[in-house]
Amino acid sequence: MCGIIGYVGRNSVLDILLDGLKQLEYRGYDSSGVALKCGDKIEVYKAVGKLNNLRDKLEPHRKNLLDAKMGIGHIRWATHGAPTIVNAHPQTCNCGRLVVVHNGIIENYKELRAKLEKEGCVFKSQTDTETVAHLVAQIYEKTQNLTQAVALATKELEGAYALAIMHNNEPNTLVVTKRNAPLVIGVADDGYYAASDVPAFIKHSNKAIYMKDNEIATLTPDSLTIQDGNGNEVTPKIEQLPWEPVALSKMGYKHFMLKEIHEQPDVIRNILTGKLHTSDSPIVLEEVKLTKDILKNLSRIQIIACGTSLHAGMIGKYLIESLCQIPVDVEASSEYIYRDTVTDKNTLVIGVSQSGETADTLTAIRQAKAKGSHVLIITNRPDSAMAREADSLLSVNAGIEVSVAATKSYIAQLTSFYLLAIYLAEVKESANKEDLIKLKSEMLAIPQKIEQILSHKDDIQNCAKKYSGTRDFIYIARGINYPTALEGALKLKEISYINATGYPAGELKHGPIAMLDDTMPVLSVLMHGRVYEKILSNSEEAKARNARMIALTNSIDPKLDDLFEYIIRVPEVDDMLSPLIAIVPLQLIAYYIAEFLGKDVDQPRNLAKSVTVE
Ligand code: F6R
């Protein structure tokens, strides 16, 4: 949830840290800080709020700091203690000679803190991280070796951490380590980088070492040594990174979110390439590592995910059950891990995650693996912890998603579910061949239909403007688009802070209808197909309570004009594929409302893109 960066080498470290933190802002942005080794001192600077506040604070000192060639930095998403200067990282020991930045949670910090306080340590912050600073410093006093001190201290830590640590007595040494939190080392001619994620250093190095749990790396300008949890030296595996820095530019769009919404047609095309050639050839999905015999006999599937990925999973359930007749359960990972889940080796477990680092989902898939289930991961990050745990890996290749609100990664997950469901149906021969050919043919046309919607976005912008003054918003849908309603509502609440809720339209009369009056916008996802008439009736019921009715529809029926005060029209599409189309206007409504209200679209308050705490 926080981002860390460290550098030791021959270049000036200040901008390496600040630019790196900028790329990690998606992990948190409520405060930030850096520590730089300047001559015989370590200088620490921190600021509350966005990274620009830290930049402003550093500006008057810039000249004096440019000579520093080793440093660490942190961007925070508060877990222990409010976002204040004292709680911001780097955290320091009593004498200030040791500095540490940390992503994760030290679960036994209370016991450690009590013990350290008894031994004379004076704590300044409410953070769990400060215990690490005192603990390592205390051990360092005895060992006079930073790597050894970190190795001994981490044996006492419980929980999750990625740590970067410097001591003033070791002018050229940076020590980094991790457990249950991501940490990558960048190898470059000018020195070594370490960060929570590769965008933090990709403009300096595209050679990366993904650290494993409990490994400790000692970095100097000219050397890198990695030891495992038992103190044995390991040979690092250096990987070439595929991403280009250009992926992180807004390319002329006002926000990353708007750019990412516009990338969706190409994201779908990308995923289909090589997997869906023509409508009458079968889907190629070599990523699924189960034999066809096992697939034919699968008795059950469980899908586990959080947030937007969970909504993609709900649509996945609908598709797999309809096309393959395999029972599918979908559950929020955070619930899955704290009950006695029934799973076994005959269950295929599908974990869905944009980041591949979400702690709840990671724990859930580890639990399922321990029970013998085959785990298939659908993720946008083939380099993530979840990808490394996967028995089968479906990489969605949407490219880096910078905006905290997930858009293109959602459409990529959905597309992957369509491919998977059709693939399973073809293997099992569980669906009518002609129907599958039609579905695949329509699937190939989806990117163009989304482009059509994007070319009429002014209409959606007008709709957003009309309803931007509202306090609440209701989305209704049925069947395969019920998760679309949930996702539309989630997008709106997370970036505009409007209280938005998605309901199955048939449930409205069982309670929520009591909320309706002439101040309440109700958006009906009214797509042609099995439940069209039903949603139409539910919309009539809402209209009868004076709700302000909006339709998102592919119907051109003129009767709708009397029922709805605003109609957003989308292209005609097969009922089963309609979630790929219907979500796009809902993403745009959320975007334009937030933008109109002047909200921080790409970095909404209280959120972070990668949620590495349970
Ligand atoms: C919403 C959003 C979150 C994430 C959720 C899971 O726009 O981004 O709801 O979907 O935190 O994250 P991942 O997919 O990375 O596991």
Side-chain angles (χ1 to χ4, degrees):
M1 302 290 294
C2 302
I4 70 168
I5 182 166
Y7 172 75
V8 57
R10 279 171 282 283
N11 289 341
S12 172
V13 71
L14 180 63
D15 288 322
I16 289 176
L17 297 182
L18 288 175
D19 294 349
L21 289 177
K22 183 80 201 145
Q23 303 303 335
L24 295 177
E25 261 187 318
Y26 73 87
R27 305 181 68 88
Y29 33 80
D30 60 35
S31 52
S32 53
V34 289
L36 298 97
K37 176 72 178 147
C38 298
D40 59 358
K41 286 194 301 208
I42 288 180
E43 302 266 9
V44 175
Y45 292 86
K46 305 185 201 181
V48 170
K50 289 293 182 68
L51 189 62
N52 276 345
N53 299 351
L54 180 66
R55 274 188 193 276
D56 292 348
K57 202 162 186 176
L58 283 161
E59 208 40 49
H61 310 279
R62 167 170 277 277
K63 231 171 112 203
N64 301 335
L65 299 174
L66 283 178
D67 286 343
K69 300 204 164 75
M70 176 167 80
I72 55 179
H74 187 266
I75 190 125
R76 184 163 186 249
W77 185 85
T79 56
H80 294 70
T84 60
I85 293 279
V86 271
N87 289 333
H89 300 202
Q91 289 290 321
T92 54
C93 65
N94 269 5
C95 63
R97 297 172 75 77
L98 182 135
V99 288
V100 55
V101 288
H102 167 217
N103 167 38
I105 288 182
I106 307 299
E107 283 169 4
N108 59 337
Y109 84 100
K110 281 197 180 135
E111 300 93 89
L112 288 173
R113 182 172 174 144
K115 179 174 153 264
L116 289 161
E117 278 176 335
K118 259 196 208 148
E119 290 163 2
C121 295
V122 180
F123 279 72
K124 303 164 287 290
S125 75
Q126 287 95 53
T127 63
D128 51 334
T129 306
E130 197 182 342
T131 54
V132 181
H134 290 293
L135 187 63
V136 179
Q138 203 185 50
I139 302 173
Y140 181 83
E141 289 309 306
K142 294 176 205 142
T143 62
Q144 294 297 306
N145 176 313
L146 190 55
T147 308
Q148 221 183 332
V150 172
L152 291 170
T154 47
K155 297 232 177 308
E156 296 189 41
L157 303 181
E158 286 167 21
Y161 56 77
L163 299 165
I165 302 176
M166 304 192 307
H167 195 292
N168 201 33
N169 292 9
E170 313 236 357
N172 284 316
T173 307
L174 180 62
V175 177
V176 298
T177 183
K178 66 149 259 168
R179 189 192 298 157
N180 296 328
L183 190 62
V184 200
I185 293 173
V187 180
D189 292 340
D190 54 276
Y192 291 96
Y193 299 75
S196 302
D197 199 356
V198 289
F201 60 71
I202 195 154
K203 72 176 185 185
H204 307 287
S205 160
N206 67 345
K207 289 195 203 110
I209 300 165
Y210 289 92
M211 288 188 70
K212 299 201 179 76
D213 281 353
N214 302 316
E215 284 182 344
I216 299 174
T218 308
L219 315 177
T220 75
D222 303 301
S223 67
L224 158 74
T225 323
I226 302 184
Q227 63 180 56
D228 65 16
N230 300 317
N232 302 315
E233 195 168 326
V234 293
T235 312
K237 184 174 158 229
I238 300 181
E239 295 180 30
Q240 200 79 22
L241 298 172
W243 282 327
E244 297 298 326
V246 71
L248 304 179
S249 139
K250 281 188 204 150
M251 310 291 277
Y253 288 97
K254 187 168 177 194
H255 294 100
F256 279 107
M257 181 175 176
L258 193 58
K259 171 187 165 236
E260 287 159 4
I261 290 173
H262 279 79
E263 284 170 350
Q264 294 183 113
D266 282 341
V267 165
I268 299 177
R269 285 188 185 105
N270 243 346
I271 300 175
L272 298 186
T273 305
K275 296 189 167 67
L276 171 52
H277 296 283
T278 59
S279 54
D280 44 12
S281 55
I283 300 277
V284 181
L285 217 51
E286 282 158 2
E287 291 89 338
V288 178
K289 301 295 181 202
L290 288 167
T291 63
K292 295 203 167 161
D293 271 347
I294 296 182
L295 290 176
K296 275 184 193 159
N297 295 311
L298 268 182
S299 58
R300 187 166 159 237
I301 293 179
Q302 285 178 335
I303 300 176
I304 37 188
C306 303
T308 290
S309 301
L310 180 66
H311 298 152
M314 291 168 79
I315 292 175
K317 170 186 163 80
Y318 193 100
L319 297 173
I320 296 170
E321 289 191 340
S322 302
L323 295 176
C324 316
Q325 290 87 53
I326 304 173
V328 182
D329 303 316
V330 193
E331 192 164 355
S333 319
S334 50
E335 288 302 312
Y336 183 95
I337 55 184
Y338 291 110
R339 65 183 183 81
D340 301 320
T341 322
V342 182
T343 183
D344 56 26
K345 60 182 178 28
N346 300 320
T347 308
L348 169 66
V349 172
I350 304 179
V352 195
S353 174
Q354 187 286 129
S355 64
E357 299 287 349
T358 301
D360 291 315
T361 309
L362 192 55
T363 308
I365 60 155
R366 283 180 176 151
Q367 280 181 9
K369 263 187 92 157
K371 289 189 177 167
S373 302
H374 184 97
V375 169
L376 184 151
I377 297 295
I378 297 180
T379 184
N380 194 28
R381 300 296 304 261
D383 55 343
S384 62
M386 269 181 235
R388 272 169 296 207
E389 297 275 344
D391 298 310
S392 295
L393 174 63
L394 247 175
S395 178
V396 302
N397 294 331
I400 291 185
E401 190 176 61
V402 178
S403 181
V404 166
T407 52
K408 65 174 178 172
S409 63
Y410 174 72
I411 222 126
Q413 292 165 347
L414 284 189
T415 308
S416 303
F417 270 116
Y418 281 95
L419 289 176
L420 182 64
I422 301 172
Y423 172 75
L424 284 177
E426 286 175 343
V427 171
K428 276 177 65 86
E429 297 175 7
S430 52
N432 178 296
K433 248 188 177 161
E434 294 308 310
D435 290 349
L436 290 182
I437 290 175
K438 186 169 166 275
L439 200 61
K440 285 188 281 186
S441 155
E442 288 222 20
M443 184 91 197
L444 289 163
I446 292 287
Q448 224 182 337
K449 292 188 181 180
I450 296 181
E451 275 161 355
Q452 251 174 284
I453 298 173
L454 293 171
S455 69
H456 291 110
K457 60 180 187 281
D458 292 358
D459 183 38
I460 300 168
Q461 192 171 13
N462 289 338
C463 174
K465 196 167 175 185
K466 185 171 164 100
Y467 297 97
S468 59
T470 187
R471 210 190 51 179
D472 308 291
F473 221 107
I474 287 179
Y475 293 74
I476 56 170
R478 290 176 92 132
I480 198 166
N481 276 308
Y482 165 49
T484 306
L486 294 179
E487 177 58 11
L490 178 63
K491 284 288 90 75
L492 185 61
K493 60 189 149 198
E494 70 185 323
I495 61 170
S496 72
Y497 322 138
I498 289 171
N499 173 32
T501 315
Y503 290 111
E507 280 293 299
L508 210 55
K509 57 187 172 293
H510 298 290
I513 203 163
M515 294 187 298
L516 303 189
D517 61 19
D518 60 2
T519 65
M520 181 71 86
V522 174
L523 187 148
S524 306
V525 183
L526 184 63
M527 304 296 279
H528 278 141
R530 207 164 159 182
V531 288
Y532 179 87
E533 293 299 335
K534 294 284 168 204
I535 302 175
L536 203 56
S537 308
N538 299 138
S539 304
E540 297 275 7
E541 290 157 16
K543 170 81 174 173
R545 274 79 188 177
N546 295 323
R548 303 176 69 188
M549 301 305 296
I550 308 159
L552 168 63
T553 186
N554 48 6
S555 165
I556 48 166
D557 183 349
K559 281 198 301 260
L560 299 187
D561 294 342
D562 296 333
L563 176 52
F564 294 99
E565 65 176 43
Y566 208 103
I567 300 181
I568 298 168
R569 288 214 157 80
V570 293
E572 193 54 69
V573 64
D574 183 281
D575 191 17
M576 199 170 256
L577 293 169
S578 61
L580 287 162
I581 294 291
I583 191 57
V584 179
L586 301 189
Q587 293 168 338
L588 285 168
I589 286 181
Y591 171 78
Y592 285 121
I593 289 184
E595 205 248 325
F596 190 71
L597 295 175
K599 303 295 184 206
D600 191 342
V601 172
D602 285 332
Q603 295 181 339
R605 70 183 183 202
N606 304 339
L607 296 180
K609 187 134 189 90
S610 182
V611 186
T612 53
V613 293
E614 276 182 17

